[in-house]
Amino acid sequence: MATAPIEAPLTGMPAEWRDFLALTKPRVMTLVVFTGLCGLLAAPGHIHPVLGFTAILCIALGAGAAAALNQWYEADLDAKMKRTRNRPLPAGRMERPAALQFGVALAAFSVIVMGLALNLLAAAILAVSILFYVLVYTVWLKRRTPQNIVIGGAAGAFPALIGWTAVTGHVDLLPVMLFLLVFLWTPPHVWSLSLFIYSDYGAAGVPMMSVVAGAKATRLQALLYALPMAAVAIAPWPLGLAGAIYGIAATLLSLVFLGLAARVGVSRVADQALMKAERHLFAYSIIYLFAVFGALVVDRLWVA
Amino acid sequence: MPRHDPLPDRETPERPRFDQDEIRRRQRARSIVTALILFALVALFYAISIAKML
Protein backbone atom coordinates (compact mmCIF):
# COMPACT_ATOMS: atom_id res chain seq x y z
CA MET A 1 0.00 0.00 0.00
CA ALA A 2 1.28 3.48 -0.84
CA THR A 3 2.67 5.70 1.88
CA ALA A 4 0.07 8.03 3.28
CA PRO A 5 0.19 11.67 2.21
CA ILE A 6 -0.28 12.97 5.75
CA GLU A 7 0.37 16.68 6.14
CA ALA A 8 3.52 17.37 8.14
CA PRO A 9 2.47 18.71 11.56
CA LEU A 10 3.72 22.12 12.56
CA THR A 11 6.71 21.23 14.73
CA GLY A 12 6.27 22.33 18.31
CA MET A 13 2.78 23.72 17.67
CA PRO A 14 0.48 22.22 20.30
CA ALA A 15 -2.81 20.85 18.98
CA GLU A 16 -5.97 22.74 19.83
CA TRP A 17 -8.24 21.24 22.50
CA ARG A 18 -10.94 21.08 19.82
CA ASP A 19 -8.75 18.67 17.87
CA PHE A 20 -8.60 16.32 20.86
CA LEU A 21 -12.37 16.53 21.06
CA ALA A 22 -12.66 15.78 17.31
CA LEU A 23 -10.43 12.75 17.85
CA THR A 24 -13.20 11.17 19.96
CA LYS A 25 -15.71 11.32 17.04
CA PRO A 26 -18.46 13.04 19.09
CA ARG A 27 -21.19 12.35 16.50
CA VAL A 28 -20.58 8.59 16.52
CA MET A 29 -20.44 8.78 20.30
CA THR A 30 -24.05 10.03 20.38
CA LEU A 31 -25.39 6.67 19.23
CA VAL A 32 -23.07 4.77 21.58
CA VAL A 33 -24.15 6.89 24.55
CA PHE A 34 -27.81 6.52 23.61
CA THR A 35 -27.70 2.71 23.36
CA GLY A 36 -25.69 2.56 26.60
CA LEU A 37 -28.24 4.78 28.33
CA CYS A 38 -31.11 2.65 27.05
CA GLY A 39 -29.40 -0.51 28.33
CA LEU A 40 -29.00 1.18 31.70
CA LEU A 41 -32.62 2.43 31.84
CA ALA A 42 -34.08 -0.88 30.63
CA ALA A 43 -32.22 -2.91 33.26
CA PRO A 44 -34.21 -4.06 36.29
CA GLY A 45 -33.23 -2.57 39.63
CA HIS A 46 -32.21 0.84 40.85
CA ILE A 47 -29.02 2.79 40.37
CA HIS A 48 -28.09 6.06 42.03
CA PRO A 49 -28.30 8.86 39.40
CA VAL A 50 -24.67 9.86 40.06
CA LEU A 51 -23.51 6.29 39.43
CA GLY A 52 -25.75 6.05 36.35
CA PHE A 53 -24.20 9.25 35.01
CA THR A 54 -20.73 7.89 35.76
CA ALA A 55 -21.49 4.68 33.86
CA ILE A 56 -22.64 6.63 30.79
CA LEU A 57 -19.64 8.94 31.07
CA CYS A 58 -17.30 5.93 31.15
CA ILE A 59 -19.03 4.40 28.11
CA ALA A 60 -18.65 7.72 26.27
CA LEU A 61 -14.99 8.08 27.26
CA GLY A 62 -14.29 4.47 26.29
CA ALA A 63 -15.87 5.06 22.87
CA GLY A 64 -13.85 8.27 22.52
CA ALA A 65 -10.66 6.41 23.42
CA ALA A 66 -11.35 3.72 20.83
CA ALA A 67 -12.03 6.40 18.21
CA ALA A 68 -8.79 8.23 19.07
CA LEU A 69 -6.72 5.04 18.84
CA ASN A 70 -8.47 4.14 15.58
CA GLN A 71 -7.49 7.52 14.09
CA TRP A 72 -3.95 7.18 15.43
CA TYR A 73 -3.57 3.87 13.59
CA GLU A 74 -5.48 4.85 10.44
CA ALA A 75 -4.04 8.31 9.78
CA ASP A 76 -2.68 7.09 6.44
CA LEU A 77 -6.08 5.76 5.32
CA ASP A 78 -7.93 8.85 6.55
CA ALA A 79 -5.62 11.04 4.47
CA LYS A 80 -6.77 9.27 1.31
CA MET A 81 -10.52 9.61 1.82
CA LYS A 82 -12.48 12.79 1.17
CA ARG A 83 -14.75 12.06 4.13
CA THR A 84 -11.88 11.81 6.62
CA ARG A 85 -8.95 13.81 5.29
CA ASN A 86 -9.77 16.86 7.41
CA ARG A 87 -9.44 14.94 10.69
CA PRO A 88 -6.74 16.31 13.05
CA LEU A 89 -4.02 13.76 12.17
CA PRO A 90 -4.25 13.60 8.35
CA ALA A 91 -4.71 17.38 8.25
CA GLY A 92 -1.47 17.82 10.21
CA ARG A 93 -3.06 19.66 13.13
CA MET A 94 -1.79 17.10 15.64
CA GLU A 95 1.24 14.86 16.04
CA ARG A 96 0.60 11.09 16.14
CA PRO A 97 2.15 10.41 19.58
CA ALA A 98 -0.24 12.96 21.11
CA ALA A 99 -3.22 11.02 19.71
CA LEU A 100 -1.82 7.72 20.98
CA GLN A 101 -1.18 9.08 24.49
CA PHE A 102 -4.61 10.69 24.59
CA GLY A 103 -6.35 7.46 23.49
CA VAL A 104 -4.49 5.20 25.91
CA ALA A 105 -5.02 7.59 28.85
CA LEU A 106 -8.74 7.94 28.08
CA ALA A 107 -9.18 4.16 27.75
CA ALA A 108 -7.38 3.42 31.03
CA PHE A 109 -9.28 6.16 32.85
CA SER A 110 -12.72 5.03 31.63
CA VAL A 111 -12.12 1.37 32.56
CA ILE A 112 -10.63 2.14 35.99
CA VAL A 113 -13.45 4.55 36.94
CA MET A 114 -16.09 2.06 35.71
CA GLY A 115 -14.49 -0.66 37.85
CA LEU A 116 -14.23 1.52 40.96
CA ALA A 117 -17.60 3.28 40.74
CA LEU A 118 -19.79 0.55 39.22
CA ASN A 119 -18.61 -3.05 39.03
CA LEU A 120 -15.79 -5.15 37.63
CA LEU A 121 -17.93 -6.98 35.05
CA ALA A 122 -19.04 -3.69 33.45
CA ALA A 123 -15.41 -2.51 33.47
CA ALA A 124 -14.24 -5.77 31.91
CA ILE A 125 -16.83 -5.57 29.10
CA LEU A 126 -15.86 -1.93 28.50
CA ALA A 127 -12.18 -2.93 28.27
CA VAL A 128 -13.04 -5.77 25.87
CA SER A 129 -15.10 -3.42 23.67
CA ILE A 130 -12.22 -0.91 23.39
CA LEU A 131 -9.64 -3.64 22.68
CA PHE A 132 -11.98 -5.33 20.21
CA TYR A 133 -12.49 -2.11 18.24
CA VAL A 134 -8.82 -1.17 18.22
CA LEU A 135 -7.08 -4.55 17.86
CA VAL A 136 -9.61 -6.83 16.15
CA TYR A 137 -11.39 -4.31 13.90
CA THR A 138 -8.86 -1.52 13.25
CA VAL A 139 -5.54 -3.38 13.29
CA TRP A 140 -6.54 -6.88 12.19
CA LEU A 141 -9.67 -6.89 10.04
CA LYS A 142 -10.23 -3.52 8.40
CA ARG A 143 -7.45 -3.71 5.81
CA ARG A 144 -7.65 -7.48 5.30
CA THR A 145 -11.20 -8.65 4.67
CA PRO A 146 -14.50 -7.37 3.26
CA GLN A 147 -16.11 -8.97 6.31
CA ASN A 148 -14.34 -6.33 8.46
CA ILE A 149 -17.51 -4.54 9.42
CA VAL A 150 -19.45 -7.73 10.20
CA ILE A 151 -17.09 -8.88 12.93
CA GLY A 152 -15.94 -5.38 13.87
CA GLY A 153 -19.55 -4.36 14.33
CA ALA A 154 -19.53 -6.26 17.60
CA ALA A 155 -17.49 -3.41 19.12
CA GLY A 156 -20.38 -1.00 18.61
CA ALA A 157 -22.83 -3.51 20.04
CA PHE A 158 -21.32 -3.55 23.53
CA PRO A 159 -22.66 -0.27 25.06
CA ALA A 160 -26.20 -1.55 25.75
CA LEU A 161 -24.67 -4.61 27.42
CA ILE A 162 -22.35 -2.40 29.50
CA GLY A 163 -25.23 -0.11 30.53
CA TRP A 164 -27.30 -3.08 31.66
CA THR A 165 -24.38 -4.73 33.49
CA ALA A 166 -23.53 -1.48 35.26
CA VAL A 167 -26.93 -1.67 36.98
CA THR A 168 -27.36 -5.40 37.54
CA GLY A 169 -23.80 -6.71 37.81
CA HIS A 170 -24.64 -9.64 35.52
CA VAL A 171 -25.57 -10.43 31.91
CA ASP A 172 -29.13 -11.45 30.94
CA LEU A 173 -30.86 -12.58 27.75
CA LEU A 174 -32.37 -9.18 26.88
CA PRO A 175 -29.06 -7.24 26.77
CA VAL A 176 -27.55 -10.10 24.76
CA MET A 177 -30.41 -9.65 22.26
CA LEU A 178 -29.72 -5.91 22.18
CA PHE A 179 -26.08 -6.76 21.48
CA LEU A 180 -27.17 -9.04 18.63
CA LEU A 181 -29.52 -6.39 17.28
CA VAL A 182 -26.73 -3.79 16.93
CA PHE A 183 -24.36 -6.49 15.64
CA LEU A 184 -26.77 -7.44 12.82
CA TRP A 185 -27.78 -3.82 12.19
CA THR A 186 -24.19 -2.73 11.49
CA PRO A 187 -23.67 -4.45 8.08
CA PRO A 188 -26.74 -2.96 6.31
CA HIS A 189 -26.01 0.40 7.98
CA VAL A 190 -22.35 0.56 6.90
CA TRP A 191 -22.76 -1.18 3.55
CA SER A 192 -25.52 1.21 2.47
CA LEU A 193 -23.04 4.03 3.19
CA SER A 194 -20.20 2.20 1.46
CA LEU A 195 -22.33 1.82 -1.68
CA PHE A 196 -22.68 5.54 -2.28
CA ILE A 197 -19.11 6.42 -1.26
CA TYR A 198 -17.40 3.28 -2.60
CA SER A 199 -14.97 5.27 -4.75
CA ASP A 200 -13.67 6.87 -1.53
CA TYR A 201 -13.00 3.44 0.05
CA GLY A 202 -11.56 2.19 -3.23
CA ALA A 203 -9.12 5.12 -3.38
CA ALA A 204 -7.97 4.35 0.17
CA GLY A 205 -7.52 0.64 -0.59
CA VAL A 206 -9.95 -0.47 2.12
CA PRO A 207 -11.43 -3.86 1.10
CA MET A 208 -15.03 -2.89 1.77
CA MET A 209 -17.66 -5.28 0.44
CA SER A 210 -18.76 -2.73 -2.19
CA VAL A 211 -15.16 -2.42 -3.45
CA VAL A 212 -14.22 -6.11 -3.41
CA ALA A 213 -17.48 -7.91 -4.27
CA GLY A 214 -19.27 -5.14 -6.17
CA ALA A 215 -22.52 -3.28 -5.65
CA LYS A 216 -24.85 -6.20 -6.51
CA ALA A 217 -23.38 -8.57 -3.90
CA THR A 218 -23.25 -5.79 -1.29
CA ARG A 219 -26.92 -4.91 -1.83
CA LEU A 220 -27.93 -8.55 -1.50
CA GLN A 221 -25.86 -9.05 1.66
CA ALA A 222 -27.27 -5.88 3.24
CA LEU A 223 -30.76 -7.28 2.68
CA LEU A 224 -29.77 -10.72 4.00
CA TYR A 225 -28.44 -9.20 7.25
CA ALA A 226 -31.59 -7.07 7.62
CA LEU A 227 -33.76 -10.20 7.85
CA PRO A 228 -32.22 -11.73 11.03
CA MET A 229 -31.83 -8.19 12.40
CA ALA A 230 -35.59 -7.65 12.17
CA ALA A 231 -36.23 -11.07 13.78
CA VAL A 232 -33.90 -10.26 16.69
CA ALA A 233 -35.48 -6.81 17.11
CA ILE A 234 -38.98 -8.27 17.40
CA ALA A 235 -38.02 -11.40 19.39
CA PRO A 236 -38.04 -9.85 22.92
CA TRP A 237 -41.82 -9.40 22.58
CA PRO A 238 -42.84 -13.06 21.94
CA LEU A 239 -40.14 -14.19 24.39
CA GLY A 240 -41.80 -12.15 27.13
CA LEU A 241 -38.73 -9.94 27.67
CA ALA A 242 -40.60 -6.80 26.55
CA GLY A 243 -44.21 -5.69 26.31
CA ALA A 244 -46.62 -4.77 23.52
CA ILE A 245 -45.41 -1.15 23.27
CA TYR A 246 -41.95 -2.34 22.33
CA GLY A 247 -43.26 -5.25 20.24
CA ILE A 248 -45.54 -3.14 18.06
CA ALA A 249 -42.97 -0.37 17.65
CA ALA A 250 -40.15 -2.81 16.82
CA THR A 251 -42.36 -4.68 14.32
CA LEU A 252 -43.43 -1.54 12.46
CA LEU A 253 -39.94 -0.02 12.46
CA SER A 254 -38.40 -3.30 11.29
CA LEU A 255 -40.93 -3.69 8.46
CA VAL A 256 -39.98 -0.22 7.18
CA PHE A 257 -36.29 -1.18 7.49
CA LEU A 258 -36.90 -4.38 5.51
CA GLY A 259 -38.81 -2.41 2.87
CA LEU A 260 -35.93 0.01 2.41
CA ALA A 261 -33.37 -2.82 2.45
CA ALA A 262 -35.43 -4.63 -0.22
CA ARG A 263 -35.39 -1.47 -2.37
CA VAL A 264 -31.61 -1.43 -2.03
CA GLY A 265 -31.51 -5.17 -2.78
CA VAL A 266 -33.28 -4.80 -6.13
CA SER A 267 -31.69 -1.47 -7.09
CA ARG A 268 -29.30 -1.51 -10.05
CA VAL A 269 -28.24 2.14 -9.94
CA ALA A 270 -24.54 2.43 -10.70
CA ASP A 271 -24.04 6.19 -10.36
CA GLN A 272 -23.17 7.05 -6.75
CA ALA A 273 -24.87 10.43 -7.02
CA LEU A 274 -28.17 8.76 -7.95
CA MET A 275 -28.20 6.12 -5.19
CA LYS A 276 -31.30 7.37 -3.40
CA ALA A 277 -32.38 3.99 -2.01
CA GLU A 278 -28.98 3.48 -0.39
CA ARG A 279 -29.00 6.99 1.11
CA HIS A 280 -32.52 6.44 2.45
CA LEU A 281 -31.55 3.12 4.05
CA PHE A 282 -28.46 4.67 5.65
CA ALA A 283 -30.41 7.63 7.07
CA TYR A 284 -33.30 5.45 8.24
CA SER A 285 -30.98 2.92 9.88
CA ILE A 286 -29.81 5.62 12.31
CA ILE A 287 -33.38 6.65 13.12
CA TYR A 288 -34.31 2.97 13.44
CA LEU A 289 -31.76 2.20 16.12
CA PHE A 290 -32.69 5.30 18.13
CA ALA A 291 -36.40 4.47 17.83
CA VAL A 292 -36.15 0.75 18.72
CA PHE A 293 -34.00 1.41 21.79
CA GLY A 294 -36.22 4.34 22.75
CA ALA A 295 -39.31 2.11 22.47
CA LEU A 296 -37.68 -0.47 24.73
CA VAL A 297 -37.05 2.11 27.43
CA VAL A 298 -40.58 3.49 27.20
CA ASP A 299 -41.95 -0.06 27.37
CA ARG A 300 -39.83 -1.04 30.39
CA LEU A 301 -40.58 2.19 32.27
CA TRP A 302 -44.29 1.81 31.45
CA VAL A 303 -44.35 -1.74 32.80
CA ALA A 304 -42.42 -0.66 35.92
CA MET B 1 10.09 40.71 -12.98
CA PRO B 2 11.72 42.08 -9.81
CA ARG B 3 13.84 39.60 -7.98
CA HIS B 4 13.38 39.09 -4.24
CA ASP B 5 16.53 39.27 -2.25
CA PRO B 6 16.88 36.63 0.44
CA LEU B 7 16.39 37.85 4.00
CA PRO B 8 19.58 39.09 5.64
CA ASP B 9 20.77 36.78 8.42
CA ARG B 10 19.82 39.13 11.21
CA GLU B 11 16.20 39.13 9.99
CA THR B 12 15.83 35.36 9.69
CA PRO B 13 13.34 34.61 12.48
CA GLU B 14 13.80 31.50 14.65
CA ARG B 15 10.04 31.32 14.75
CA PRO B 16 7.66 33.92 13.36
CA ARG B 17 5.99 36.18 15.90
CA PHE B 18 2.63 34.85 14.73
CA ASP B 19 3.63 31.30 15.72
CA GLN B 20 4.73 32.38 19.19
CA ASP B 21 1.40 34.11 19.79
CA GLU B 22 -0.50 31.14 18.39
CA ILE B 23 1.42 28.70 20.60
CA ARG B 24 0.66 30.80 23.68
CA ARG B 25 -3.02 31.09 22.72
CA ARG B 26 -3.33 27.32 22.25
CA GLN B 27 -1.47 26.55 25.47
CA ARG B 28 -3.69 28.95 27.40
CA ALA B 29 -6.87 27.46 25.91
CA ARG B 30 -5.67 23.91 26.69
CA SER B 31 -4.76 24.86 30.24
CA ILE B 32 -8.22 26.35 30.82
CA VAL B 33 -9.96 23.25 29.41
CA THR B 34 -7.71 20.95 31.47
CA ALA B 35 -8.48 22.92 34.63
CA LEU B 36 -12.21 22.75 33.97
CA ILE B 37 -12.04 19.00 33.36
CA LEU B 38 -10.02 18.43 36.55
CA PHE B 39 -12.46 20.53 38.54
CA ALA B 40 -15.39 18.53 37.11
CA LEU B 41 -13.63 15.26 37.96
CA VAL B 42 -13.04 16.35 41.57
CA ALA B 43 -16.75 17.15 41.86
CA LEU B 44 -17.66 13.82 40.20
CA PHE B 45 -15.40 11.73 42.46
CA TYR B 46 -16.81 13.51 45.50
CA ALA B 47 -20.37 12.77 44.32
CA ILE B 48 -19.46 9.13 43.59
CA SER B 49 -18.04 8.74 47.11
CA ILE B 50 -21.26 10.10 48.63
CA ALA B 51 -23.45 7.93 46.34
CA LYS B 52 -21.47 4.77 47.23
CA MET B 53 -21.95 5.45 50.94
CA LEU B 54 -25.75 5.68 50.66
Side-chain angles (χ1 to χ4, degrees):
Chain A
M1 195 172 284
T3 312
I6 304 171
E7 293 288 326
L10 296 167
T11 312
M13 182 71 80
E16 296 234 38
W17 65 268
R18 288 180 191 83
D19 290 326
F20 284 99
L21 183 65
L23 217 52
T24 63
K25 297 187 189 170
R27 274 199 302 179
V28 176
M29 201 193 280
T30 313
L31 201 62
V32 169
V33 166
F34 184 75
T35 53
L37 179 65
C38 289
L40 187 133
L41 292 174
H46 172 75
I47 187 169
H48 192 285
V50 170
L51 298 179
F53 171 79
T54 306
I56 298 304
L57 181 70
C58 289
I59 292 172
L61 294 180
L69 292 170
N70 168 274
Q71 287 180 65
W72 163 74
Y73 188 79
E74 289 190 343
D76 60 332
L77 283 188
D78 286 346
K80 292 175 189 167
M81 294 202 286
K82 232 187 304 180
R83 189 171 63 88
T84 54
R85 70 170 56 132
N86 199 34
R87 286 177 177 172
L89 286 170
R93 298 198 303 274
M94 184 186 285
E95 291 176 0
R96 286 187 80 192
L100 175 63
Q101 290 153 9
F102 178 67
V104 170
L106 212 54
F109 179 82
S110 63
V111 172
I112 290 169
V113 173
M114 182 72 99
L116 292 174
L118 280 306
N119 57 66
L120 289 179
L121 183 59
I125 300 174
L126 180 62
V128 168
S129 72
I130 297 169
L131 290 173
F132 194 91
Y133 187 73
V134 176
L135 297 179
V136 177
Y137 172 66
T138 304
V139 176
W140 182 32
L141 296 173
K142 186 160 181 182
R143 299 179 196 228
R144 283 182 175 81
T145 167
Q147 295 295 326
N148 49 18
I149 204 64
V150 178
I151 305 159
F158 280 110
L161 195 60
I162 299 168
W164 180 287
T165 313
V167 178
T168 63
H170 58 265
V171 176
D172 289 308
L173 182 58
L174 183 56
V176 171
M177 299 204 74
L178 296 178
F179 174 91
L180 274 178
L181 170 59
V182 181
F183 179 71
L184 293 166
W185 165 89
T186 306
H189 168 70
V190 177
W191 283 338
S192 58
L193 170 74
S194 79
L195 278 165
F196 61 83
I197 62 162
Y198 80 94
S199 57
D200 225 15
Y201 282 116
V206 180
M208 288 300 284
M209 184 67 77
S210 53
V211 177
V212 175
K216 191 178 170 188
T218 308
R219 289 185 168 111
L220 180 65
Q221 296 229 25
L223 175 59
L224 289 177
Y225 273 95
L227 292 168
M229 182 213 72
V232 168
I234 299 166
W237 186 25
L239 288 173
L241 301 170
I245 296 173
Y246 171 78
I248 293 166
T251 305
L252 294 175
L253 289 162
S254 299
L255 285 175
V256 175
F257 195 109
L258 286 176
L260 292 172
R263 266 181 64 202
V264 169
V266 298
S267 172
R268 293 291 173 264
V269 177
D271 186 345
Q272 285 176 265
L274 300 176
M275 289 185 178
K276 275 189 183 168
E278 291 77 3
R279 286 174 197 274
H280 288 161
L281 178 60
F282 176 71
Y284 179 75
S285 65
I286 298 168
I287 298 166
Y288 172 83
L289 206 64
F290 272 106
V292 169
F293 274 79
L296 178 70
V297 172
V298 170
D299 183 90
R300 301 281 294 192
L301 295 179
W302 185 275
V303 171
Chain B
M1 197 172 156
R3 198 180 141 201
H4 288 286
D5 290 320
L7 282 171
D9 280 347
R10 60 184 176 81
E11 283 183 41
T12 305
E14 288 170 9
R15 186 182 280 284
R17 179 75 207 165
F18 169 77
D19 277 8
Q20 295 289 358
D21 291 346
E22 181 62 13
I23 287 172
R24 273 196 214 98
R25 187 191 68 75
R26 290 184 182 197
Q27 283 173 337
R28 194 179 304 121
R30 276 171 61 161
S31 299
I32 290 169
V33 172
T34 306
L36 289 173
I37 290 171
L38 287 175
F39 183 76
L41 286 178
V42 169
L44 178 67
F45 290 153
Y46 181 71
I48 290 172
S49 305
I50 300 290
K52 297 279 277 185
M53 282 193 288
L54 295 175

